Amino acid sequence: DAKTTQPNSMESNEEEPVHLPCNHSTISGTDYIHWYRQLPSQGPEYVIHGLTSNVNNRMASLAIAEDRKSSTLILHRATLRDAAVYYCILRDVEGTYKYIFGTGTRLKVLA
Amino acid sequence: SAVISQKPSRDICQRGTSLTIQCQVDSQVTMMFWYRQQPGQSLTLIATANQGSEATYESGFVIDKFPISRPNLTFSTLTVSNMSPEDSSIYLCSVARTVNTGELFFGEGSRLTVL
């Protein structure tokens, strides 16, 4: 299973953009890059996913490096409700289809 | 979206006993997974629940300890057998509607404490 590497923690000021990095140097051509977040005392929730091109949705943007060995989740304006653990996941869609979680980044948002 | 109900939401169990966790989804889904989350840790995949056949277990997890059933496309159970304090964790059921869909949905989890 391809692995991801994320910083253990990050801090951001409220209403400022946040860039959460993820390294996945062993990614294969068929691995999708997924991001989930887990708020305190809740199950993880989907944020965004992509394969090669940058992706935008109402929650965030996903910037994928040209060689696909890294990606960045962008929260355009952090709010206190965005304080959570953010997980970058690689999902194989030609083999086992499973989702393997890494250690995640704990984001703290300062008021 | 998919609405997932897990039961029990929490339980306190005695060492050596077994507990079955149920996962009910409000609609048919292709893929169902069981995860474990130990205190302060990330999620660890236990197994993929396969409809009508044996689950596919990850390294470090065995069927005798974590038997899984999936009789249809909306329901699955995970049993934690012969529990020890090390099994105290949150167990989460998750589903994906189709094989290729991006979004994984999670239940609220079942928090088990083993004394």
Side-chain angles (χ1 to χ4, degrees):
Chain A
D1 300 325
K3 295 194 174 184
T4 61
T5 304
Q6 300 175 253
N8 288 333
S9 64
M10 290 184 66
E11 282 189 1
S12 173
N13 293 318
E14 198 176 10
E15 298 192 2
E16 289 187 358
V18 182
H19 291 234
L20 298 166
C22 181
N23 287 320
H24 28 78
S25 58
T26 60
I27 191 171
S28 73
T30 55
D31 285 342
Y32 275 74
I33 301 160
H34 287 247
W35 284 83
Y36 286 76
R37 72 179 185 180
Q38 187 173 24
L39 301 171
S41 302
Q42 295 188 24
E45 64 175 352
Y46 170 81
V47 178
I48 201 166
H49 79 286
L51 182 62
T52 56
S53 303
N54 295 343
V55 184
N56 299 297
N57 67 21
R58 63 176 179 82
M59 287 183 70
S61 295
L62 175 60
I64 301 172
E66 194 169 338
D67 64 4
R68 299 204 333 122
K69 293 186 176 183
S70 66
S71 61
T72 302
L73 178 70
I74 302 165
L75 305 180
H76 296 288
R77 288 183 63 202
T79 70
L80 296 177
R81 291 175 295 177
D82 291 323
V85 179
Y86 287 78
Y87 294 101
C88 171
I89 300 162
L90 299 183
R91 188 194 183 209
D92 171 20
V93 296
E94 284 199 348
T96 61
Y97 302 100
K98 57 190 180 185
Y99 300 73
I100 302 298
F101 282 70
T103 55
T105 297
R106 183 173 298 276
L107 175 65
K108 185 176 182 180
V109 180
L110 306 175
Chain B
S1 65
V3 177
I4 303 168
S5 300
Q6 265 189 251
K7 294 180 181 179
S9 58
R10 60 177 62 231
D11 207 340
I12 300 174
C13 308
Q14 296 299 317
R15 182 194 299 258
T17 62
S18 298
L19 182 78
T20 296
I21 302 167
Q22 297 181 0
C23 176
Q24 178 72 54
V25 191
D26 67 339
S27 57
Q28 292 186 347
V29 293
T30 301
M31 308 206 72
M32 295 183 81
F33 306 93
W34 286 98
Y35 288 87
R36 180 176 74 183
Q37 187 170 32
Q38 295 178 306
Q41 303 295 312
S42 178
L43 283 76
T44 301
L45 181 63
I46 297 172
T48 302
N50 301 310
Q51 191 239 336
S53 65
E54 189 172 296
T56 304
Y57 289 86
E58 295 301 303
S59 175
F61 297 95
V62 294
I63 188 171
D64 290 346
K65 176 67 176 177
F66 297 100
I68 289 171
S69 78
R70 189 180 173 191
N72 56 51
L73 294 177
T74 63
F75 185 78
S76 178
T77 66
L78 167 73
T79 299
V80 186
S81 303
N82 189 23
M83 287 185 284
S84 67
E86 292 71 34
D87 294 319
S88 297
S89 283
I90 298 173
Y91 292 85
L92 295 126
C93 171
S94 66
V95 305
R97 287 203 175 281
T98 67
V99 167
N100 291 320
T101 190
E103 193 167 350
L104 190 64
F105 300 95
F106 282 84
E108 291 297 314
S110 299
R111 182 183 295 272
L112 300 188
T113 302
V114 184
L115 303 178

